[in-house]
Amino acid sequence: MKLIKFFIFILFTTASAQTTFNIHGKVLSEGQPLPFANIYIENSKKGTTTNDKGEFILENLKPGDYSIAASFTGYVVQKKNATIEDKDLNINFKLNENDALDEVIVTGTLKAVSRLESPVPVEVYSSTFLKKNPTPNIFEALQNVNGVRPQLNCNVCNTGDIHINGLEGPYTLVLIDGMPIVSGLSTVYGLSGIPNSLIEQIEIVKGPASSLYGSEAVGGLINIITKRPENAPRFFADAFITGWGEMNIDTGFKAKVGEKATVLVGINYYKFNELVDNNNDNFTDLTLQDRISIFQKWDFKRANNKKLSVAGRYFYEDRWGGELQWNKGYRGGNEVYGESIYTSRFEILGNYELPITEKVNFQFSYSDHDQNSVYGNTPYLAQQRIGFGQFIWDKKINNHDLLFGTALRYNYYNDNTAATTTADEITIPSVFAQDEIAFNKKQSLLVGMRYDYDNRHGNIFTPRIAYRYKPTDDDIIRLNAGTGFRVVNLFTEEHAALTGARDVIIEEALDPEKSYNVTLNYLKKLYLKNGMYFTLDTSAWYTYFTNAIIPDYDTNPNQIIYSNLDGYSTTKGISFNVDAVLGSGIKASAGGTYQDVSQTEDSITTDQILTESFSGVWSFSYKNYATNLTFDYTGSIYGPMRLPLLGDLDPRQEHSPTWSIQNIQITHDGFDNIEIYGGVKNLLNWTPNKGNPFIIARADDPFDENVQFDGNGDVIATADNPYALTFDPSYVYGPNQGIRLFFGVRYNLY
């Protein structure tokens, strides 16, 4: 009897030990493991996160029915039902990026909020957006953003800037991880050299943001958010080549340093060393470049999850364009024309959350930019240093979401031009505050103001107000109004002032520009029963400028005249975006912008030069899961814009035609950790020389040795120069690169 009782006890004990089981599996995104995703059982406190290989395990679960969910910031939550009976279960999740627009953003209000809840409309572009049309820098990638246009400013050196809603590049502030380290002289370089593999998302605000960010955030801002080290692969590489001979390599890794630090390292290398002259003007169609950029970001674990991160980047580039026979032995001389630019730049930025009960952050950045360049026989040697620090106090009191800040910005600029007789050095202190008042779930109001003191221009106030009304969960109306200001440093912003034969005339001391803007935005989400859904986003805006500084190419074709406009300028327009998820692996988006940018002086209104009246973008993606192939078709179209001619006899077109850049790409992701992609860029083989007798004026006489002038300095038409022109490469509105193939490989090890 005792023996029977003993066996019963053993069987009961064994059965009891086997009454709990485990659920394990992986979380994937686009076939790649997704580290640190959240896995949890609904309606319980039980959950876990995936490891660096995307693996998870939920332990000690009793038999029964469960609803398991997987989530990660920026992705759609996926849920699966599971029934445990008498064994462990394996469940895998495949998360898709969230197209429902509830991504976390930081740009509009200087704090992390849901995009849907932000009173300021912010456009967000993920790393997937960058992969649809691979480019060697963010500057080129932005050609597929509605209302944003990369503008080349010179046919020879191919430097450029970013236009937002028709406003010139200097009106756009570029941020990296929220820090304004990119300014004037360095805008194009701030958008180059950051490995695309390290970018988490790009946030774009259209319209003045000076009440938060100060000078230069007049037309809008672009914030490049880099990945947190813990969210990046252990090792990554992305390399592609094009039929023109371009080579771009992104590579990097992350590593744990001790128990409390994680470092992320990224390297970008780009090289183009081919002489291409398809338009037969003896000038390079694309600037030759040799560029390297090294990026490093550290995250530190601290008590109570307080933040501490530090990042740095070093950038070096050697680029030149010009006559095909040019080499460095001709640099700075007047025998063979070339534009050669050596750029050395480093940046450091960081965020430190103070170890106190209140949520107070200290953010800082510093950049040092050194440029050694020659434009023909004209040297331009410049240094720019920008130091920035600010304290931000984030405080919630009842229905008030408050933010207070104080900032100090140090600007140093010096060059060898006559406009800078001594170094321009100034420190600008600022204070700002904003209050977002939540009246109820449907309505909120944000009011804010910034005060800056510039001892050259005195007190500067920039208020703003933003109202959000959400009548339903699927409709949002936003009304924003605000002011902006911009302090101008001419030679850091106007490439045309350095190249070509036009004389630069500065008629007066230039006062800061001021702007007044109002924007109305409406967003609609539309869900259909068959699983399809659409997001419609429409904006209308009006901006009025005083003291505008617009280069005058028209008064005298041999001069560029700079002065504060004795009148006003305006930009107004309307834009729309449609994003659609159509099911069966199909996604599509399209957008269009119509704008009117003009200036009025002495009761005469003229259209702004180099500004299109309409533009559009689109993308179409199809994923065939059976073959692991993804097809992407992207494109952009731009309407006519007025171009800088050199006089009445200039035979080039006064207005550009309507033109379009279109691309296709095929990606295969059927291998572990590897993607192979390739396609065609500029399918239509469009270049701006089509329909024009030439693009660069007097390309055969770049030093104007055979140009004759009269007593007033005007060019005389001769048999050798029938159109009365001087050398001028500023007639440019689009890239000179024609159709080309590309092929690339991506590798990610998690």
Side-chain angles (χ1 to χ4, degrees), residues 205 279 408:
V205 175
N279 58 12
L408 192 68

Side-chain angles (χ1 to χ4, degrees), residues 96-202:
N96 296 317
E97 286 198 38
N98 195 339
D99 297 291
L101 298 178
D102 57 356
E103 304 100 324
V104 173
I105 59 171
V106 297
T107 301
T109 59
L110 272 181
K111 60 177 68 181
V113 297
S114 164
R115 184 181 173 193
L116 288 177
E117 301 304 318
S118 171
V120 178
V122 181
E123 297 180 14
V124 180
Y125 299 90
S126 68
S127 56
T128 301
F129 167 81
L130 299 175
K131 290 180 180 179
K132 290 182 179 181
N133 179 32
T135 61
N137 53 59
I138 302 172
F139 176 81
E140 293 182 35
L142 293 176
Q143 68 181 324
N144 292 115
V145 176
N146 186 24
V148 176
R149 182 170 68 86
Q151 166 65 40
L152 293 176
N153 293 327
C154 176
N155 276 300
V156 180
C157 71
N158 292 161
T159 56
D161 54 38
I162 297 295
H163 290 199
I164 294 182
N165 286 347
L167 295 177
E168 299 280 345
Y171 293 89
T172 299
L173 181 64
V174 178
L175 312 170
I176 298 178
D177 287 338
M179 291 291 96
I181 60 175
V182 182
S183 175
L185 179 68
S186 54
T187 297
V188 67
Y189 303 103
L191 293 171
S192 299
I194 299 177
N196 287 353
S197 304
L198 292 183
I199 296 174
E200 184 73 29
Q201 62 188 39
I202 299 173

Side-chain angles (χ1 to χ4, degrees), residues 633-683:
Y633 168 51
T634 58
S636 56
I637 187 170
Y638 302 99
M641 62 186 76
R642 193 164 65 90
L643 301 173
L645 299 181
L646 290 178
D648 295 336
L649 297 179
D650 194 330
R652 295 174 294 183
Q653 297 175 354
E654 183 179 1
H655 290 85
S656 65
T658 297
W659 55 282
S660 176
I661 299 290
Q662 300 177 28
N663 319 283
I664 57 171
Q665 176 184 250
I666 301 175
T667 304
H668 182 272
D669 61 2
F671 305 108
D672 289 341
N673 305 323
I674 295 177
E675 291 183 0
I676 300 173
Y677 60 92
V680 182
K681 290 181 177 289
N682 197 356
L683 274 169

Side-chain angles (χ1 to χ4, degrees), residues 52-121:
D52 56 2
K53 296 181 181 179
E55 300 168 340
F56 71 90
I57 183 169
L58 293 167
E59 299 179 309
N60 301 322
L61 301 177
K62 294 182 179 181
D65 296 327
Y66 296 91
S67 177
I68 314 297
S71 68
F72 191 79
T73 301
Y75 290 77
V76 178
V77 176
Q78 186 179 15
K79 300 177 183 179
K80 290 191 175 184
N81 295 322
T83 299
I84 296 178
E85 294 179 345
D86 56 359
K87 61 180 179 180
D88 294 346
L89 296 182
N90 180 270
I91 298 178
N92 295 325
F93 292 88
K94 294 182 179 180
L95 298 190
N96 296 317
E97 286 198 38
N98 195 339
D99 297 291
L101 298 178
D102 57 356
E103 304 100 324
V104 173
I105 59 171
V106 297
T107 301
T109 59
L110 272 181
K111 60 177 68 181
V113 297
S114 164
R115 184 181 173 193
L116 288 177
E117 301 304 318
S118 171
V120 178

Side-chain angles (χ1 to χ4, degrees), residues 414-427:
N414 195 17
D415 65 30
N416 65 317
T417 68
T420 310
T421 55
T422 59
D424 181 12
E425 189 172 14
I426 189 169
T427 301

Side-chain angles (χ1 to χ4, degrees), residues 153 167 178 257 267 287 432 455 468 495 522 530 534 577-578 596:
N153 293 327
L167 295 177
V257 183
I267 300 172
T287 303
F432 55 90
N455 60 20
R468 181 183 67 88
H495 179 270
Y522 172 63
N530 56 6
F534 299 82
N577 287 288
V578 180
D596 180 6

Side-chain angles (χ1 to χ4, degrees), residues 250-473:
D250 286 349
T251 186
F253 63 91
K254 75 172 180 182
K256 290 185 178 180
V257 183
E259 295 183 356
K260 295 186 177 182
T262 307
V263 62
L264 176 62
V265 177
I267 300 172
N268 170 256
Y269 180 67
Y270 174 79
K271 188 174 182 66
F272 175 68
N273 198 35
E274 300 293 329
L275 295 173
V276 179
D277 180 25
N278 290 336
N279 58 12
N280 299 314
D281 60 3
N282 196 45
F283 272 73
T284 53
D285 288 351
L286 180 65
T287 303
L288 283 70
Q289 301 172 55
D290 195 353
R291 177 179 75 229
I292 188 167
S293 177
I294 303 172
F295 179 87
Q296 192 174 95
K297 185 174 184 179
W298 292 74
D299 266 8
F300 299 89
K301 290 183 178 180
R302 298 173 58 211
N304 301 316
N305 292 319
K306 295 290 185 179
K307 296 178 181 178
L308 174 57
S309 64
V310 180
R313 182 173 72 127
Y314 176 73
F315 175 98
Y316 180 80
E317 183 181 65
D318 175 0
R319 69 161 58 201
W320 77 269
E323 295 186 273
L324 300 183
Q325 64 270 31
W326 188 91
N327 60 54
K328 291 185 178 180
Y330 294 109
R331 192 175 196 268
N334 60 0
E335 297 179 52
V336 179
Y337 188 89
E339 297 186 4
S340 170
I341 304 173
Y342 301 148
T343 302
S344 178
R345 173 181 176 84
F346 72 86
E347 308 156 351
I348 184 170
L349 60 148
N351 184 16
Y352 174 71
E353 188 174 351
L354 273 58
I356 58 178
T357 304
E358 297 290 342
K359 188 175 181 181
V360 180
N361 283 65
F362 174 64
Q363 300 174 329
F364 61 90
S365 65
Y366 177 79
S367 64
D368 190 296
H369 186 102
D370 185 276
Q371 183 166 319
N372 179 327
S373 51
V374 293
Y375 301 88
N377 57 358
T378 302
Y380 176 59
L381 311 175
Q383 298 83 38
Q384 186 175 49
R385 301 169 192 145
I386 300 174
F388 181 83
Q390 69 179 11
F391 285 94
I392 297 177
W393 179 26
D394 188 352
K395 180 71 174 178
K396 290 187 178 181
I397 303 176
N398 298 325
N399 65 332
H400 294 265
D401 195 349
L402 301 165
L403 185 136
F404 302 96
T406 179
L408 192 68
R409 176 167 175 151
Y410 167 77
N411 280 1
Y412 172 90
Y413 175 75
N414 195 17
D415 65 30
N416 65 317
T417 68
T420 310
T421 55
T422 59
D424 181 12
E425 189 172 14
I426 189 169
T427 301
I428 302 175
S430 311
V431 293
F432 55 90
Q434 72 177 22
D435 181 11
E436 184 177 350
I437 309 165
F439 299 113
N440 49 51
K441 290 184 178 180
K442 292 186 176 182
Q443 297 185 74
S444 65
L445 179 70
L446 182 145
V447 291
M449 190 193 73
R450 182 182 179 108
Y451 164 75
D452 295 81
Y453 178 75
D454 186 326
N455 60 20
R456 300 166 298 181
H457 307 293
N459 303 314
I460 302 173
F461 293 91
T462 48
R464 75 164 173 173
I465 186 170
Y467 171 70
R468 181 183 67 88
Y469 176 53
K470 193 175 181 181
T472 73
D473 289 340

